Amino acid sequence: MDTSSGTPVSLTLGRRRIDGVLRAVGEAVELPGVPGGPARRLRNLILDFGSACAPVEVWLAEPDPALPSTGSPRPTPSSRS
């Protein structure tokens, strides 16, 4: 596991926003997809939100390196039409 020295992160849940730091970047795993489809590559992250909660372990999908990068972020549910 690769440790990180406090990169800022935030988590928004409805109207509530919790600020914290990234504590570690862990391994990547391949999660099987639908039968016959490609696997999803997930990366493990450990986030620390201080007194708000215990450290949180999350798995985030990594972008597919075979697809061209658009440089734009993915739309959020609130920005979709």
Side-chain angles (χ1 to χ4, degrees), residues 1 11-12 16-17 19 23 27-28 31 46 50 69 73 79:
M1 185 169 282
L11 177 64
T12 304
R16 184 161 188 108
R17 178 179 163 159
D19 294 312
R23 287 291 175 214
E27 64 194 76
L31 180 69
I46 306 296
S69 174
S79 68

Side-chain angles (χ1 to χ4, degrees), residues 54-71:
V56 177
E57 178 180 6
V58 296
W59 292 87
L60 294 179
E62 290 192 330
D64 184 347
L67 297 175
S69 174
T70 62

Side-chain angles (χ1 to χ4, degrees), residues 28-35 37-43 59-62:
V29 297
E30 298 288 329
L31 180 69
V34 296
R40 291 179 49 197
R41 185 172 176 84
L42 302 176
R43 176 70 60 181
W59 292 87
L60 294 179
E62 290 192 330

